[in-house]
Amino acid sequence: MNSLLYSAPLAGIIGLIFAGYLVLYILKLDAGSERMKAIASAIQEGAMAYLNRQYKTVAIIAVILAVLLTLAINVDIAVGFILGAVMSAAAGYLGMSISVRSNVRCANAAREGLQKALKVAFRGGAVTGISVASLALLGVSGLFIAYGGDVEAIEKIIGFGFGASLISLFARVGGGIYTKAADVGTDLVGKVEAGIPEDDPRNPGVIADNVGDNVGDCAGMAADLFETYVVTVLGAMLIGVTVLGVFPNAVAYPLVLGAAAIFASIIGIFFVRLGKSGNIMGAMYKGAIVAGGISAILFYIITQVMMDGNIGLFISALVGLGVTAAMIMITDYYTSLSHSPVKDIANASVTGPGTNIITGLAVGLRSTALPVLVISAGVLIAYYVMGGATDPILGLYGIAIAAAAMLSVTGIIISIDSYGPITDNAGGIAEMAEMPKEVRDITDPLDAVGNTTKAVTKGYAIGSAALGALALYAAYSSEVNRLLAEQELPPLLLVLSDPLVLVGLFIGGMIPFLFSSFLMGAVGRAASTIVSEIRRQFREIPGIMEGKSKPDYGRCVDIVTIAAQKEMVVPGLLAVLSPVFVGYIFGPIALGGLLIGVIISGLLLALMMTTGGAAWDNAKKYIESGNLGGKRLPDGRPNPTHAAAVVGDTVGDPTKDTAGPAINPLIKVMNIVAILIAALIL
């Protein structure tokens, strides 16, 4: 066992210690006035109540699956499954518990200026980012070492990846349904019907909306990338087994790359500072660039020490970092207020909601092209620099290393993402607590950038999921071929003329669409319930609009929580059971086609939904910042252009924050289940 392997769990432990340092920094800050604390407390209670209820629901499913895994496979897989689920849940729980405490401190820090508020928000988000990367690396490397650090150890920890995938799926599905049902319902009645501002304390849904920002964009993203990190590294390790004759350290190599990137991400966090230009997004990109640059230097050193300086492996790792940078820049272009796609949607709003929606769909569809070309280029470069033309297995290992390198910088990327819900909540708290206009002048720009950071990190998550899923598919193919060789049977070949392959491709291509329809429908149904409740309160509680009576915020939180828990089960079962049914009914060839189909259609659909939805959202923000007439006309009447943009944003909300992001864990759950059942379907 290479001694450098121990750097992986060590990096995980150091990362968690650093996250603890950030927690202490946040909690020592002043939380502001009693009114601010009361509002923040309501958000905290709602967020934790939702998460506790979600984990109780998922725990029942997890126990049933653990028993089935014990009976069908072995107890080691079941133990890993439970541990993966627990650590994934812990990452989301820790991140969200700090997020809902950072928000009020960010709002209060805004009294002291933009730099202080940015520092509080970003470091609050960094707790989630560093915790996710550290727990994921610690879990995989710790189990690998504990099980002996050999080939058999890798097979035993596949269950860890399945546990992480299960929590990710339900966190994305349930959290996404909650956050968008609350957001859509609150906006439709508050902004469109009542004509009151966003985050207005008179709106009964405003606390549920702020809770949703955290359960969707913080806990959901944390679980999503925890799982992506785990299963991508596992995929690279599984493929590494097949090239041990060429590279004796092939299995440990991706783990050590992850350790290096955690240290690089910690350093990068300290470089997130405003420059003279006051560019908020530029400040965060500065931290990401530093983390990426340090990672590249460390990757070179590690490759020299562990892999005999193989230049193909180093280039493959650089490809992963390059794809990360490209995905960030592309998503920023399509979703930033300063670029033409968002402005095009805003300008289309002048002629009504119909043209807004048509233009938004066009932007979303167009946004799939460049990411696919970037991912394709990354796959080809990593494959051929590793000699894939003469040895396909080495080429696949190069792709797996590119995916692992891309995920290695998860710490700094999630820090950028989790900044978003903190600043969103900070703006809401400032509005509800009636803080001075100078405070909103700080929190509003932070929040506007937060919309872009959330979109950018979703683009990164989708790209990394695609590369990670390719590595997992290669691992499935390798596992099936190993089992077939033991039985002296021919290897797995996917030929388009084989009807089983076509059936698998068609079913796999269909599943992301069916899955998304369940989620979009769930958001619509849940939003309808909260719309009815908000209308009821406006109608039946006298004095709400005059600010004389307090709305029943808790009732709205309960309604959306119950709806989200009820709606998340069917989509989750679709992801877990579809590969089982296809594998048992049609066999491993059809299952291979299923996995390819879901990767291709899932990647495209997720990109279209998340990027298009974010562009719709920022088109509304572009108008609200004073362009095209702003929120209201000079005579005080609501601006129809803004109303049209609100409708477009309402359509885009469930695509960018519910269905689109949830496709990531869908793809990976199906692949990891396929690996688990490979031996059972031959």
Side-chain angles (χ1 to χ4, degrees):
M1 195 183 301
N2 191 293
S3 59
L4 277 177
L5 174 61
Y6 292 97
S7 67
L10 178 62
I13 293 169
I14 291 174
L16 291 175
I17 292 171
F18 178 72
Y21 156 76
L22 293 177
V23 169
L24 293 176
Y25 166 79
I26 294 295
L27 295 181
K28 285 180 180 178
L29 297 173
D30 185 5
S33 66
E34 290 304 315
R35 185 171 183 182
M36 292 169 65
K37 291 176 183 176
I39 295 167
S41 177
I43 296 171
Q44 291 169 27
E45 289 175 10
M48 290 306 173
Y50 170 82
L51 208 58
N52 288 336
R53 185 174 296 185
Q54 175 173 276
Y55 286 161
K56 286 177 183 176
T57 303
V58 177
I60 296 171
I61 299 172
V63 169
I64 295 171
L65 287 174
V67 172
L68 292 175
L69 288 171
T70 302
L71 296 174
I73 306 176
N74 59 56
V75 71
D76 288 333
I77 293 288
V79 169
F81 168 77
I82 293 295
L83 188 57
V86 169
M87 291 186 76
S88 179
Y93 200 94
L94 174 63
M96 199 178 75
S97 66
I98 297 303
S99 177
V100 295
R101 288 167 174 79
S102 301
N103 51 16
V104 67
R105 289 164 172 82
C106 176
N108 193 58
R111 300 177 190 270
E112 301 178 39
L114 186 60
Q115 173 59 46
K116 183 62 181 293
L118 171 64
K119 182 178 180 180
V120 173
F122 188 79
R123 293 198 173 185
V127 173
T128 306
I130 297 299
S131 297
V132 166
S134 300
L135 282 169
L137 186 61
L138 179 61
V140 176
S141 61
L143 274 179
F144 179 61
I145 293 170
Y147 280 136
D150 53 15
V151 175
E152 288 74 17
I154 304 171
E155 295 179 355
K156 291 179 181 178
I157 59 176
I158 293 174
F160 184 83
F162 183 37
S165 296
L166 184 76
I167 293 295
S168 170
L169 181 68
F170 284 107
R172 269 302 191 197
V173 170
I177 293 170
Y178 181 103
T179 184
K180 288 304 104 178
D183 192 4
V184 168
T186 301
D187 280 356
L188 281 177
V189 183
K191 288 184 180 180
V192 178
E193 295 182 9
I196 58 178
E198 187 172 4
D199 297 318
D200 193 300
R202 294 172 291 178
N203 193 326
V206 70
I207 295 295
D209 187 10
N210 280 278
V211 168
D213 293 330
N214 294 285
V215 301
D217 286 321
C218 187
M221 178 62 84
D224 184 355
L225 281 173
F226 177 93
E227 174 245 4
T228 303
Y229 192 115
V230 167
V231 299
T232 301
V233 170
L234 274 174
M237 294 169 72
L238 284 165
I239 298 172
V241 171
T242 64
V243 298
L244 285 174
V246 182
F247 300 111
N249 294 317
V251 172
Y253 182 59
L255 294 172
V256 180
L257 294 183
I262 285 180
F263 293 124
S265 295
I266 290 173
I267 296 170
I269 288 169
F270 291 101
F271 282 83
V272 177
R273 295 185 58 84
L274 285 174
K276 293 181 180 179
S277 64
N279 187 325
I280 301 168
M281 199 73 189
M284 285 184 281
Y285 283 164
K286 192 188 308 177
I289 290 168
V290 168
I294 294 173
S295 295
I297 294 169
L298 293 176
F299 289 175
Y300 179 78
I301 296 171
I302 292 166
T303 306
Q304 290 291 323
V305 174
M306 293 186 69
M307 313 299 280
D308 296 324
N310 184 281
I311 192 64
L313 282 172
F314 177 61
I315 293 174
S316 296
L318 291 184
V319 164
L321 297 178
V323 171
T324 297
M327 292 295 294
I328 288 174
M329 289 188 289
I330 292 167
T331 312
D332 180 86
Y333 170 74
Y334 278 105
T335 59
S336 172
L337 275 67
S338 59
H339 297 302
S340 60
V342 166
K343 293 179 181 179
D344 288 345
I345 298 173
N347 289 326
S349 306
V350 173
T351 49
T355 46
N356 169 286
I357 290 172
I358 291 169
T359 307
L361 283 172
V363 168
L365 292 167
R366 189 166 68 246
S367 71
T368 62
L370 286 177
V372 167
L373 293 176
V374 165
I375 292 170
S376 299
V379 167
L380 290 174
I381 293 170
Y383 184 82
Y384 285 111
V385 297
M386 281 302 295
T390 55
D391 190 337
I393 299 299
L394 282 177
L396 290 176
Y397 185 64
I399 295 172
I401 291 302
M406 187 175 182
L407 266 299
S408 69
V409 292
T410 290
I412 191 74
I413 299 297
I414 297 186
S415 300
I416 293 172
D417 174 79
S418 296
Y419 151 97
I422 292 172
T423 56
D424 195 337
N425 275 197
I429 291 169
E431 180 76 29
M432 287 183 277
E434 299 179 345
M435 297 178 73
K437 179 180 179 297
E438 293 77 15
V439 172
R440 284 309 304 251
D441 289 342
I442 297 292
T443 59
D444 283 352
L446 289 171
D447 181 23
V449 170
N451 280 331
T452 301
T453 64
K454 288 184 285 188
V456 162
T457 49
K458 286 186 179 77
Y460 163 82
I462 294 166
S464 61
L467 279 178
L470 287 173
L472 284 175
Y473 172 76
Y476 164 77
S477 180
S478 297
E479 179 68 8
V480 170
N481 285 332
R482 183 184 68 81
L483 293 167
L484 289 172
E486 289 177 357
Q487 301 175 39
E488 299 182 352
L489 295 172
L492 176 73
L493 292 175
L494 300 187
V495 182
L496 287 178
S497 59
D498 187 336
L500 288 175
V501 175
L502 290 174
V503 167
L505 286 170
F506 280 129
I507 296 175
M510 168 273 294
I511 284 176
F513 290 87
L514 180 62
F515 179 79
S516 298
S517 76
F518 288 148
L519 298 190
M520 296 288 283
V523 171
R525 289 187 292 272
S528 295
T529 61
I530 194 171
V531 164
S532 299
E533 174 60 21
I534 295 172
R535 286 174 177 167
R536 182 195 68 78
Q537 292 196 33
F538 278 142
R539 185 175 61 249
E540 297 180 5
I541 302 178
I544 285 184
M545 290 302 293
E546 294 77 25
K548 296 178 181 178
S549 299
K550 183 179 178 181
D552 186 355
Y553 301 121
R555 176 62 181 158
C556 290
V557 172
D558 288 341
I559 285 173
V560 192
T561 299
I562 293 168
Q565 298 304 300
K566 181 176 70 174
E567 298 278 6
M568 74 179 185
V569 176
V570 171
L573 291 177
L574 174 67
V576 174
L577 297 179
S578 55
V580 175
F581 282 125
V582 170
Y584 273 101
I585 294 172
F586 299 111
I589 291 177
L591 182 53
L594 177 89
L595 300 181
I596 294 294
V598 76
I599 291 170
I600 293 172
S601 75
L603 168 64
L604 293 170
L605 188 60
L607 284 169
M608 188 275 287
M609 285 184 159
T610 54
T611 309
W616 261 315
D617 190 348
N618 274 349
K620 178 197 69 176
K621 287 283 194 298
Y622 178 78
I623 295 169
E624 289 175 347
S625 63
N627 297 291
L628 301 173
K631 292 183 181 180
R632 293 187 175 274
L633 299 173
D635 61 5
R637 290 183 297 117
N639 182 2
T641 300
H642 177 251
V646 170
V647 173
D649 177 38
T650 302
V651 174
D653 268 342
T655 68
K656 74 180 175 67
D657 288 329
T658 308
I663 292 173
N664 294 348
L666 167 75
I667 295 171
K668 288 164 292 181
V669 164
M670 291 176 65
N671 275 270
I672 204 80
V673 168
I675 295 172
L676 281 171
I677 66 171
L680 304 177
I681 61 176
L682 290 175

